[in-house]
């Protein structure tokens, strides 16, 4: 024992470096693991094996689908997005742009299908006809909005909109996990250093007593693996506050921060994903936009029938039956092409009316712990073993370097 104490007193600075290096191993492996989860966004290296792409962006479609499942099945339904919108208020918000769009549509349709007749009309007559259509347009738009609200699932695919946005913008997908789990990732980094230092004290004692070279890489491997594993456990478990050894209470950090996470998540979704602009784009140009086109076509047909009920045979005769059908389709297509720009004027009102952020925050407070966990857990679950293994291997390699350094400095 005296020889051991003398050896320690002579090389105490060298031995104290062991827990410091172990703390560094714990910290660096966590930083590396987190970086590997999210970056690089695109594959770097030589495919298929010599290189790396962040786990989350690599599995963007799957990750987006998982994130979207929780969002659309537990938190937000298409009805929640549009139910608070008032068609009459929307019409009032877009009245000016709508009248301008209608004028362009009437001018183009008339000059295309009856150019001679339209150009021969006195300007005051053409203006009167345009104004009649403009006056009818708000009612028609209000009717379209009412039908969309009454059957929103048929014309608005919320999940497709969210998944498309996240797969297209992998940085945004990363942000969902990084911002929701910001404190958890900080905890992982810091806990790596703390746990690594504590394990390093045991490692130091073992080296002082036995000086077996295999100890250092094995402890390095254990430090890299255990600190990764324990940090992940402490983020999500236990789900309820639990007292350990009668001394301290712990609850999974992510679940404990439910209120803070809910607010950050709600802010991001409302500002970046489920926005009025994205919703309008999804309805008018998304995978179900053909249903909206069919609705608009039907409304155009009803409006033309109403306006030409008595003179319809003459109109059909004048332009031809086939061209009359083409005319209705062309009007509907032009309405669809003009609506995105026209509806952009309603974005401020829609953002306030939909109130996506507060809807999400309140719904998230009602989630069961298992459901709430799924907001962040998928980022860790996918290839989690690889992250832990990387930490273990890095710890093993550093341990080998420690052995060489200790033997050299002790000689």
């Amino acid at each position: 024992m005296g020889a051991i104490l003398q050896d320690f007193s002579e090389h105490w600075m060298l031995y104290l470096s062991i827990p410091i290096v172990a703390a560094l191993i714990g910290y660096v492996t966590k930083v590396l693991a987190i970086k590997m989860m999210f970056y690089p966004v695109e594959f770097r290296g030589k495919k298929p094996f010599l290189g790396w792409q962040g786990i989350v962006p690599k599995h963007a479609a799957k990750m987006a689908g998982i994130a979207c499942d929780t969002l659309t099945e537990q938190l937000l339904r298409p009805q929640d997005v549009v139910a608070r919108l008032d068609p009459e208020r929307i019409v009032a918000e877009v009245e000016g742009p709508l009248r301008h769009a209608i004028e362009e549509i009437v001018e183009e349709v008339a000059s295309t299908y009856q150019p001679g007749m339209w150009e021969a009309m006195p300007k005051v007559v053409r203006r009167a006809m345009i104004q009649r259509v403009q006056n009818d347009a708000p009612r028609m738009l209000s009717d379209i909005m009412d039908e969309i609200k009454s059957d929103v699932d048929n014309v608005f695919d919320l999940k497709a909109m969210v998944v498309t946005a996240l797969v297209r913008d992998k940085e945004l997908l990363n942000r969902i996990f990084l911002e929701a789990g910001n404190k958890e990732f900080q905890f992982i980094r810091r806990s790596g250093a703390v746990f690594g230092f504590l394990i390093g004290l045991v490692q130091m004692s073992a080296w002082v007593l036995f000086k077996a070279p295999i100890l250092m890489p094995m402890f390095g491997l254990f430090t890299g693996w255990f600190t990764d594993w324990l940090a992940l456990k402490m983020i999500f478990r236990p789900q309820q506050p639990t007292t350990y050894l009668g001394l301290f209470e712990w609850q999974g950090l992510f679940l404990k921060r439910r209120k803070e996470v809910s607010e950050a998540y709600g802010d991001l979704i409302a500002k970046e994903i489920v926005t009025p602009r994205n919703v309008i784009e999804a309805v008018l140009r998304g995978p179900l936009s053909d249903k909206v086109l069919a609705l608009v076509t039907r409304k155009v047909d009803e409006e033309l029938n109403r306006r030409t009920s008595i003179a319809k045979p003459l109109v059909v005769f004048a332009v031809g039956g086939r061209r009359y059908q083409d005319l209705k389709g062309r009007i509907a297509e032009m309405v669809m092409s003009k609506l995105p720009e026209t509806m952009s004027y309603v974005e401020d009102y829609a953002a306030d009316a939909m109130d996506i952020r507060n809807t999400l925050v309140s719904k998230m407070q009602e989630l069961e712990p298992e459901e709430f966990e799924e907001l962040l857990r998928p980022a860790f679950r996918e290839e989690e073993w690889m992250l832990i293994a990387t930490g273990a291997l890095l710890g093993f390699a550093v341990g080998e370097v420690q052995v060489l350094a200790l033997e050299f400095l002790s000689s």
Side-chain angles (χ1 to χ4, degrees), residues 111-236:
S111 61
T112 299
Y113 287 87
Q114 281 295 321
M117 182 183 298
W118 179 253
E119 292 169 2
M121 287 182 183
K123 187 174 181 179
V124 66
V125 176
R126 294 203 302 267
R127 171 52 54 188
M129 293 181 67
I130 290 172
Q131 287 179 346
R132 286 184 62 185
V133 180
Q134 287 175 326
N135 293 338
D136 290 337
R139 177 180 48 76
M140 179 178 166
L141 178 59
S142 181
D143 289 344
I144 291 172
M145 286 298 303
D146 280 329
E147 292 211 22
I148 288 176
K149 287 182 64 176
S150 65
D151 191 19
V152 65
D153 289 318
N154 193 47
V155 297
F156 176 40
D157 190 336
L158 175 60
K159 183 171 183 177
M161 183 193 80
V162 175
V163 170
T164 300
L166 295 180
V167 172
R168 182 175 59 239
D169 188 349
K170 297 184 180 69
E171 285 283 6
L172 180 57
L173 177 62
N174 277 352
R175 284 179 57 199
I176 285 184
F177 294 110
L178 286 169
E179 294 190 17
N182 177 48
K183 294 289 181 64
E184 285 66 36
F185 293 121
Q186 290 182 21
F187 172 77
I188 288 174
R189 291 190 288 266
R190 293 168 183 169
S191 67
V194 173
F195 296 145
F197 184 82
L198 296 176
I199 295 172
L201 292 176
V202 179
Q203 184 183 22
M204 178 189 71
S205 302
W207 177 261
V208 170
L209 291 173
F210 305 109
K211 287 191 171 59
I214 192 62
L215 284 175
M216 304 307 288
M218 292 307 295
F219 264 101
L221 185 148
F222 178 75
T223 300
W225 169 79
F226 181 74
T227 53
D228 273 355
W229 176 83
L230 183 59
L232 290 175
K233 284 293 183 184
M234 294 180 71
I235 286 175
F236 299 107

Side-chain angles (χ1 to χ4, degrees), residues 293-330:
L293 177 59
L295 169 61
V296 172
T297 302
R298 178 163 55 83
K299 288 297 179 182
V300 167
D301 189 35
E302 291 174 1
E303 192 63 28
L304 286 175
N305 287 339
R306 191 175 71 84
R307 279 294 177 189
T308 62
S309 56
I310 298 175
K312 183 176 179 181
L314 296 176
V315 174
V316 174
F317 177 78
V319 300
R322 184 182 296 274
R323 293 198 70 193
Y324 182 70
Q325 296 302 320
D326 291 343
L327 178 145
K328 291 191 295 184
R330 180 57 183 156

Side-chain angles (χ1 to χ4, degrees), residues 321-341:
R322 184 182 296 274
R323 293 198 70 193
Y324 182 70
Q325 296 302 320
D326 291 343
L327 178 145
K328 291 191 295 184
R330 180 57 183 156
I331 293 174
E333 289 173 359
M334 292 190 67
V335 170
M336 287 288 288
S337 69
K338 298 288 185 182
L339 274 177
E341 181 182 354

Side-chain angles (χ1 to χ4, degrees), residues 67 75 90 95 97 108 119-120 135 169-170 195 197 209 215 242 248 258 270 329 347 349 369 385-386 403 407:
L75 302 176
I90 289 175
E95 183 176 359
E108 180 173 333
E119 292 169 2
N135 293 338
D169 188 349
K170 297 184 180 69
F195 296 145
F197 184 82
L209 291 173
L215 284 175
T242 304
F248 67 94
R258 177 188 287 254
E347 288 178 12
Y349 158 71
W385 66 272
M386 185 180 293
V403 171
E407 290 180 340

